[in-house]
Amino acid sequence: MKNIILGRTGIEVTELCFGALPCGPLQKNLSVEEGGECIAHALELGVTMVDTAQMYNTYAMVKYAMDKTGKRPVISTKSAAATYEDMEKAINEALEKMTLDKIDIMLLHAARVDDNLFEIREGAWQCMKDYKAKGLIKAIGVATHSVRTVRKAASLEEVDVVFPLINKIGRGIIHGTHEEMEKAIEECFANNKGIYFMKAFAGGFLLNKYDEAMKYCMDLSKGRAVLVLGMVAKAEVDMNISYITGKNVEKEIETLKSASEKYFIVVKGLCSACGKCIEACHSDAIVMDEKAAIDKDKCVTCGYCVGACPEFAIRMI
C-alpha cells in the first residue's frame, strides 16, 4: 500500500485506515475479541492507521489488536467534549484504555456543528492545544460533516488535520453543497492540512457501487488523503486492501452487490418519543410522528442515534 504523510504533521500512514466505528456497540456490537481480531488482521496485512472515538467504545478492541500483533498503528481518536475538563477526561481515557504514552491524532468530534465550533467548544480546543504542547498529543483537528467547518479549519493555523465527510453523491454533507465540500477540502490541501476521508460509501448506501465510490475518493485524493473505511470482517479487510493495491476484486464486488442492505429501524413498542435520537442525528434523518421514524434516504448509518436512545429502541438490521 502507498504511504501518505498527513500534511505538515510528519505522520506517515498507509492510504487505507481501519475505521473502528462499525465494530462497536453503535453498529455491529462485536465482542472485544471479534473486533480486535479484525483490527489485528488489518495490522498484520500492513494497515498502519486506526480511527476510533470515545463515543465508539472500541478502545478495548484497538488495544487487543496491538497486544496480539505487537504493532503500534497511528491512532486517531475524537471526543464530543465541549469543556476543558471533559476533554481532559477524554484524552486521559484514550491514553489509559489503549495504554498509550501519546495520542497521535485527537479531534473535536463535531459532525453537525457549524464554523463557530472553535468558539462554542473553546475549552475543549484549548485543552487539546495544551496537551499537544505537553507532548501527549502529536496532532489536533476536527471531524465534521459541515462544509463551513472544513473551510474554517483550513484557515486556522493551529489545525493540523481535518476529517471531512465526502462521497460520490455528497450524502450526509451539511452547510453547503457537494461541490463546495470538494472546494473546502482543496483549501485544506492547499494549506497543508492532513486529510482523511469518511463515509466513502455514504453509510452503506453506495456499497452496490463499490468501484465507483472508491474511484471517486481516490481521484479526489490524488494520493494526498487517507481513506477511512469501516470494517467488521477479515474478508472486508482483504477486499479493501486488494482494491487499494490494484488487484482484481470483481468477484468480491459482485458478492457485495448481492448482499442485503443494512439499515436502522425503530422498535415502536420500545420508543418513548423522547427525541434524543433526533438531537443525535446529524443527517436530519429522524422525524417524530408519535414515535421516531428513520428516513432511509437520508440516513448514513453512523449509529449515533443508537447510543443516544435510552430505551435501546433503535436497531441495525
Side-chain angles (χ1 to χ4, degrees), residues 1-7 9-17 42-43 45-49 74 195 218 221-227 241 244-245:
M1 279 177 284
K2 177 180 178 179
N3 279 1
I4 290 172
I5 296 176
L6 290 171
T9 67
I11 298 173
E12 185 172 355
V13 293
T14 44
E15 191 174 10
L16 176 65
C17 168
L43 299 184
L45 292 180
V47 172
T48 63
M49 182 176 176
V74 169
I195 297 288
M218 294 176 77
S221 166
K222 297 182 177 65
R224 301 170 294 175
V226 172
L227 193 56
I241 290 176
I244 287 282
T245 55

Side-chain angles (χ1 to χ4, degrees), residues 11-73:
I11 298 173
E12 185 172 355
V13 293
T14 44
E15 191 174 10
L16 176 65
C17 168
F18 188 102
L21 166 61
C23 290
L26 296 182
Q27 291 196 15
K28 291 293 286 185
N29 199 24
L30 301 181
S31 69
V32 170
E33 291 75 17
E34 289 171 323
E37 287 289 340
C38 191
I39 298 171
H41 184 64
L43 299 184
E44 287 166 347
L45 292 180
V47 172
T48 63
M49 182 176 176
V50 176
D51 173 71
T52 182
Q54 183 182 33
M55 183 186 292
Y56 299 170
N57 289 317
T58 53
Y59 289 164
M61 297 178 186
V62 177
K63 183 179 185 301
Y64 178 102
M66 291 191 292
D67 289 345
K68 178 178 181 179
T69 63
K71 296 180 182 294
R72 168 61 163 90

Side-chain angles (χ1 to χ4, degrees), residues 108-238:
L108 291 172
H109 201 173
R112 293 189 68 165
V113 188
D114 208 335
D115 56 1
N116 59 353
L117 166 68
F118 299 96
E119 288 75 41
I120 64 175
R121 295 195 188 172
E122 181 181 5
W125 185 236
Q126 185 61 51
C127 181
M128 289 164 61
K129 291 188 287 185
D130 288 349
Y131 270 73
K132 180 183 175 183
K134 293 176 185 178
L136 292 171
I137 298 174
K138 187 165 186 181
I140 57 176
V142 59
T144 181
H145 296 195
S146 167
V147 171
R148 292 196 290 260
T149 301
V150 173
R151 190 177 296 128
K152 177 71 173 181
S155 70
L156 290 178
E157 175 63 25
E158 54 210 1
V159 172
D160 301 310
V161 290
V162 183
F163 187 18
L165 180 150
I166 188 70
N167 53 65
K168 180 179 173 60
I169 59 175
R171 183 163 174 156
I173 292 172
I174 61 174
H175 304 149
T177 67
H178 188 196
E179 289 183 355
E180 287 171 338
M181 180 62 92
E182 291 178 339
K183 290 177 182 177
I185 288 170
E186 286 298 333
E187 290 176 26
C188 288
F189 283 131
N191 291 334
N192 206 20
K193 309 297 183 186
I195 297 288
Y196 37 118
F197 295 158
M198 74 167 87
K199 303 292 182 191
F201 300 119
F205 189 79
L206 293 175
L207 281 174
N208 64 344
K209 297 181 179 179
Y210 178 93
D211 184 56
E212 293 177 34
M214 289 287 282
K215 188 175 186 302
Y216 166 80
C217 287
M218 294 176 77
D219 287 347
L220 181 65
S221 166
K222 297 182 177 65
R224 301 170 294 175
V226 172
L227 193 56
V228 179
L229 300 182
M231 295 176 264
V232 296
K234 292 180 180 180
E236 290 181 333
V237 175
D238 294 340

